[in-house]
Amino acid sequence: MALIFASKGTFTLEIPCDLGAGAALQALKRKKRYEKQLAQIDGTLSTIEFQREALENANTNTEVLKNMGFAAKAMKAAHDNMDIDKVDELMQDIAEQQELADEISTAISKPVGFGEEFDEDELMAELEELEQEELDKNLLEISGPETVPLPNVPSISIPSKPAKKKEEEEDDDMKELEAWAGTM
């Protein structure tokens, strides 16, 4: 007893030969119904998956919006006690106090009767003169190139022609490839 195999899509149908064409036709119809049902179920599952993802996104958006509302309320509560005029006034007070502190520091750091006053221009000229002397001294101390010992020349002889061994190996490989291709 021989079997007829009909395969299409995801189903394989085995029909005994002795059942006849009518039974084979019925089996093919059944197979088509199953394939149609499978396609419908697959489509339904895809739709359910898309809906699940849409619900997850909606829940995430709801949570984000709720948290943004909490943050807005917290910021509003924090700023309720603040007024831009009060902030400006406070910043001016801070700036005035900083200026006063700088004036006090300057007054304290000035020597009063302790030593003599120096002319800034004279000090700058002397500094430039000292820098020029140091530069001249450094330029005179530059020495020539140092002698560096060189490595010894190798004493072994180098072959003048490359060995034919590699070429011979490539020729052997090509011959093997040609022999293999000739057998096909």
Side-chain angles (χ1 to χ4, degrees):
M1 171 167 36
L3 297 176
I4 299 173
F5 294 100
S7 177
K8 185 175 181 184
T10 58
F11 294 102
T12 301
L13 188 61
E14 297 179 14
I15 306 169
C17 289
D18 58 350
L19 290 181
L25 186 58
Q26 288 297 324
L28 284 174
K29 286 180 182 178
R30 193 170 44 246
K31 177 183 174 215
K32 291 287 183 184
R33 278 194 321 266
Y34 290 153
E35 288 176 346
K36 185 177 178 182
Q37 285 177 349
L38 181 64
Q40 288 175 340
I41 292 170
D42 188 43
T44 302
L45 289 175
S46 293
T47 301
I48 290 171
E49 181 68 21
F50 290 138
Q51 289 298 316
R52 184 188 61 80
E53 289 174 3
L55 286 172
E56 286 177 358
N57 287 339
N59 285 336
T60 301
N61 290 340
T62 301
E63 287 297 318
V64 167
L65 189 60
K66 190 186 324 177
N67 287 328
M68 288 174 71
F70 291 145
K73 287 178 185 177
M75 288 178 70
K76 187 174 182 180
H79 292 134
D80 275 347
N81 295 332
M82 288 188 208
D83 181 19
I84 191 67
D85 294 330
K86 289 180 183 178
V87 172
D88 283 339
E89 186 179 312
L90 179 64
M91 293 307 292
Q92 287 176 358
D93 288 346
I94 291 173
E96 288 173 6
Q97 293 302 316
Q98 186 63 40
E99 287 176 17
L100 180 61
D102 288 343
E103 289 176 10
I104 291 171
S105 292
T106 303
I108 291 173
S109 64
K110 281 186 181 178
V112 180
F114 300 112
E116 50 191 74
E117 294 293 323
F118 297 105
D119 184 16
E120 287 288 325
D121 293 332
E122 288 179 14
L123 290 175
M124 288 304 293
E126 186 177 345
L127 179 63
E128 288 176 9
E129 184 179 317
L130 289 172
E131 287 175 347
Q132 187 61 42
E133 286 177 11
E134 184 68 25
L135 181 63
D136 291 344
K137 181 181 172 186
N138 287 339
L139 287 175
L140 292 175
E141 290 180 2
I142 295 177
S143 61
E146 297 180 22
T147 56
V148 178
L150 298 175
N152 294 331
V153 177
S155 60
I156 59 170
S157 62
I158 300 174
S160 60
K161 291 184 180 179
K164 290 189 177 186
K165 199 175 209 180
K166 186 170 186 168
E167 290 177 15
E168 291 173 3
E169 287 178 8
E170 288 177 0
D171 288 341
D172 290 342
D173 290 343
M174 286 301 291
K175 287 178 185 176
E176 285 180 31
L177 184 60
E178 287 173 359
W180 177 75
T183 59
M184 297 192 119

